[in-house]
Amino acid sequence: MELLKLLSTNEIIAQIASFLLLFIILKAFAWKRVLRILDQRRERISAEFKNIEDSKAGVAALKSEYEKSISSIEEIAKEKIGQALASAQAQASEIKGQARADAQSIIDDAKKNIRYELNKAREELKEKIIDISLRAAEEVIEQKLTEEKDREIVEEFLEKVDQVK
């Protein structure tokens, strides 16, 4: 209440009249500009929000596209790995087959060599037996034929045959 005592009625009426006059002048000259500026600002803000939403949609589309690309790349990679694995298995199988063929060839060559060496040894043995038989026959013919001498010659022959074996 003390505040009211300080102010006079004329001052209050003058201030109200000044406020109303200022309000009418501002409304007539500045209010439309202020409202236009506020409307422009509101439009700019809503346009920015729309741009942000559009950007979000674009980012979501790019993300989806990116995920599809990654998925297709992973599938391609799996296919390539499968193809490489199949190729490696085919090569391994081919190498194993070649190794088996080479091993069989070596075994066959070894068997041929063994047969050849065995035949060669048999021929040599035959020749030595023939030589020994001929010598024994020569000795029998050269020496006087007695039963005891014949036994000695045959025993020597058998000993020589045993030595050759």
Side-chain angles (χ1 to χ4, degrees), residues 100-164:
R100 284 188 183 113
D102 291 346
Q104 189 62 42
S105 174
I106 291 170
I107 290 170
D108 291 343
D109 287 345
K111 285 180 180 179
K112 286 178 186 176
N113 286 339
I114 289 171
R115 282 187 207 121
Y116 173 75
E117 292 296 325
L118 186 60
N119 287 335
K120 187 176 169 185
R122 283 181 184 161
E123 290 298 320
E124 288 177 7
L125 183 62
K126 283 180 187 177
E127 287 179 17
K128 286 188 179 183
I129 290 175
I130 290 171
D131 285 343
I132 293 172
S133 298
L134 287 175
R135 281 189 214 143
E138 286 176 358
E139 285 180 23
V140 167
I141 292 172
E142 288 178 5
Q143 292 181 6
K144 188 175 172 187
L145 296 175
T146 63
E147 193 175 314
E148 200 173 294
K149 245 340 189 186
D150 289 342
R151 278 186 200 260
E152 265 182 50
I153 292 172
V154 170
E155 285 176 8
E156 285 178 23
F157 171 73
L158 291 176
E159 285 176 15
K160 288 180 183 177
V161 168
D162 285 337
Q163 289 174 358
V164 170

Side-chain angles (χ1 to χ4, degrees), residues 92-103:
S93 176
E94 185 178 319
I95 289 170
K96 284 179 185 177
Q98 184 63 37
R100 284 188 183 113
D102 291 346

Side-chain angles (χ1 to χ4, degrees), residues 2 39 64 90 157:
E2 288 186 26
D39 286 341
S64 174
F157 171 73

Side-chain angles (χ1 to χ4, degrees), residues 35-85:
L35 287 178
R36 194 173 344 129
I37 291 171
L38 288 176
D39 286 341
Q40 288 173 351
R41 185 167 183 235
R42 187 176 306 125
E43 288 173 8
R44 233 181 325 143
I45 289 172
S46 68
E48 287 297 321
F49 277 127
K50 188 175 186 279
N51 286 341
I52 289 171
E53 290 299 321
D54 291 345
S55 296
K56 281 183 182 179
V59 167
L62 286 174
K63 182 180 177 185
S64 174
E65 215 174 288
Y66 173 73
E67 288 174 352
K68 287 178 185 176
S69 295
I70 287 177
S71 175
S72 69
I73 289 171
E74 287 175 351
E75 288 176 19
I76 290 170
K78 285 179 184 177
E79 282 181 32
K80 297 260 182 193
I81 290 171
Q83 289 173 353
L85 185 60

